[in-house]
Amino acid sequence: MHAIVVTVSDSCFARQREDISGPAVGRQLQQAGFTVAQILIVPDEKERICETLCHAAKQARLVVTTGGTGIGSRDVTPEATRMVCNRILDGVAERMRAIGQKDTPLAALSRAVCGTRGSALILNLPGSPRGAVHSLEAVLPLLPHALALLTGNTEHDANDADHSTPAMLPEK
Amino acid sequence: MHAIVVTVSDSCFARQREDISGPAVGRQLQQAGFTVAQILIVPDEKERICETLCHAAKQARLVVTTGGTGIGSRDVTPEATRMVCNRILDGVAERMRAIGQKDTPLAALSRAVCGTRGSALILNLPGSPRGAVHSLEAVLPLLPHALALLTGNTEHDANDADHSTPAMLPEK
Amino acid sequence: MHAIVVTVSDSCFARQREDISGPAVGRQLQQAGFTVAQILIVPDEKERICETLCHAAKQARLVVTTGGTGIGSRDVTPEATRMVCNRILDGVAERMRAIGQKDTPLAALSRAVCGTRGSALILNLPGSPRGAVHSLEAVLPLLPHALALLTGNTEHDANDADHSTPAMLPEK
């Protein structure tokens, strides 16, 4: 199963800072059995994030972002993710926050979302290496089952996969 | 207090499978003091679910669905429920997921919602008999109080009950 | 740091009932180090609440409402708050409900939301004095950090503060 990691950070994109979270998340996914195809770095710009997520969701079943989930004026990763997803899975983000709060009450401020685009799962993680790794750990056990359901490999796998794409961003 | 149960399932509707969850939820509601007026079976089709919910919400104060809350391509019960509700009660679905996760981490994948339409409460439950019964159990203690508030039987019961219907689906 | 408390209640506005919750929340904020600039009382009317929140968010960094978060037909505080906020912080409301449920399962029925408008934080609390005080207590530790992030006093404090105002209600 392929995964792509997207680090969302102006300063990492401008090479003013080293990307720590992206590689940390990548290692964690590899240990969980995923093949990490790429670790991409994009600035905190909604359109760039949208384009990157759409492209990544064609190439990998799992797309994990890190960064841009806070409440600073540049934080737009959740907005971009909502735009490209056709379904939002509130319970997955809830679980990340609930488990994150055992670590720090500030986890409640995360606006991270999780959703699906076609048969890909897109998951936002916070930008700090510790927050990213802990959040991913909280939901890692769900991912294989979620990805199996998304392939349509269920009782419901009817001939209408188009049902799952009403809100998708039009391809360019 | 009357309740209607709606089983949402292509295979139960096509009589390829017996409906176990609907009757299980019905028994649970009866034990809690509700009069279960009907157990309906509809396919996983958004329009059919919307119509059924609208009709049921006129005949009963509590409408409970089972099925179609997952992330398969045919799962559209939450979308239909959001369309017919004028208010969404995020905390009720949150509570079902939070308590469900003591049973299985997969409860986080449920997209079930709870909302109100006029003075009726509509509650989505998962499709599996065990998931449906556990989810209902988690919120059963809330229902009498919620239904009392919805009758306007509170300090707020002003002469403007129309306030509660801005987002309702137009009647056919 | 300045805070404004807004009590949303028809009966308090009509002086048919004394406002207990507003002053209780005010005292709690003062003990936490905020300067409470005003305690306002408005009726349960969406437009009036919107206008009051917009005005308050210009004068204080923290705006706390009490009342109107239930499911009665007159309860519209969450709707008004969503209209004036540019970002919703689901995790903050989730935390209030999660901690509130240790007190009473009915906390799940609260539709209270928390969001940002420009560099102000707007927080809904329930109307009962006990519910209001407990809910605020649950999130008080988050507020200083959240308010610091909102000033743009972070790594992200770029020259594009306008990024944070797409969904704001137009000024009159």
Side-chain angles (χ1 to χ4, degrees), chain C residues 31 38 58 67 77 101 103 106 131 143-144 146 154 160 167-168:
Chain C
Q31 283 162 14
Q38 278 181 296
K58 280 191 223 160
T77 306
Q101 286 179 41
D103 212 33
L106 299 180
L143 301 185
T154 71
D160 52 351
M168 288 175 74

Side-chain angles (χ1 to χ4, degrees), chain C residues 11 35 38 44 61 63 76-77 83 92 98 105-106 122 131 137 152 167:
Chain C
S11 53
T35 301
Q38 278 181 296
D44 291 282
R61 296 290 315 286
V63 181
V76 293
T77 306
M83 280 180 75
V92 177
L106 299 180
I122 303 180
E137 202 180 306

Side-chain angles (χ1 to χ4, degrees), chain B residues 87-92 94-95 116 141-142 145-146 149-150 155-156 158 160-161 163-164, chain C residues 10-11 17 44 70-76 79 82 94 97 101 105-106 108-111:
Chain B
R87 295 181 164 189
I88 295 296
L89 308 182
D90 288 324
V92 177
E94 251 171 55
R95 183 173 169 89
T116 63
L142 303 172
H145 187 68
L149 290 171
L150 283 174
E155 45 162 323
H156 288 311
D160 52 353
H163 243 286
S164 63
Chain C
D10 285 337
S11 53
R17 199 214 290 193
D44 291 282
I71 60 175
S73 59
R74 293 287 291 165
D75 292 319
V76 293
E79 282 78 8
R82 285 184 191 273
E94 251 170 54
R97 284 189 293 261
Q101 286 179 41
L106 299 180
L109 296 176
S110 169
R111 302 186 303 117

Side-chain angles (χ1 to χ4, degrees), chain A:
Chain A
M1 195 78 86
H2 284 71
I4 290 177
V5 177
V6 181
T7 296
V8 182
S9 163
D10 285 338
S11 54
C12 290
F13 184 74
R15 305 201 182 186
Q16 291 160 357
R17 200 214 289 192
E18 193 192 351
D19 178 19
I20 308 291
S21 299
V25 166
R27 280 189 298 275
Q28 200 179 358
L29 289 171
Q30 274 174 328
Q31 282 161 15
F34 289 91
T35 301
V36 178
Q38 278 181 297
I39 298 180
L40 304 167
I41 303 181
V42 296
D44 290 281
E45 285 164 21
K46 194 153 61 178
E47 281 201 21
R48 292 286 293 275
I49 303 169
C50 281
E51 283 169 17
T52 304
L53 293 179
C54 292
H55 193 68
K58 280 192 225 159
Q59 299 185 295
R61 295 291 314 285
L62 177 65
V63 181
V64 179
T65 70
T66 167
T69 60
I71 59 176
S73 59
R74 293 287 290 166
D75 291 320
V76 293
T77 306
E79 281 78 7
T81 305
R82 284 184 192 273
M83 281 180 74
V84 303
C85 283
N86 45 315
R87 294 181 165 189
I88 296 295
L89 308 182
D90 289 323
V92 177
E94 252 170 53
R95 185 176 168 87
M96 291 196 291
R97 286 190 291 258
I99 291 184
Q101 285 180 38
K102 294 176 185 170
D103 212 32
T104 164
L106 299 180
L109 296 175
S110 168
R111 300 187 305 116
V113 298
C114 177
T116 63
R117 180 176 169 88
S119 64
L121 194 68
I122 304 181
L123 185 64
N124 294 338
L125 304 175
S128 77
R130 180 189 173 92
V133 166
H134 281 203
S135 291
L136 179 54
E137 202 180 307
V139 299
L140 213 38
L142 303 173
L143 301 184
H145 187 67
L147 291 167
L149 290 172
L150 283 174
T151 53
N153 193 6
T154 71
E155 47 163 320
H156 288 310
D157 69 323
N159 54 353
D160 51 353
D162 58 312
H163 244 285
S164 64
T165 55
M168 288 176 74
L169 206 71
E171 311 282 352
K172 294 196 176 177

Side-chain angles (χ1 to χ4, degrees), chain C residues 40-61:
Chain C
L40 304 167
I41 303 181
V42 295
D44 291 282
E45 284 163 22
K46 194 152 64 179
E47 282 200 22
R48 292 285 293 275
I49 304 169
C50 283
E51 282 169 19
T52 304
L53 294 179
C54 292
H55 193 67
K58 280 191 223 160
Q59 300 186 294
R61 296 290 315 286

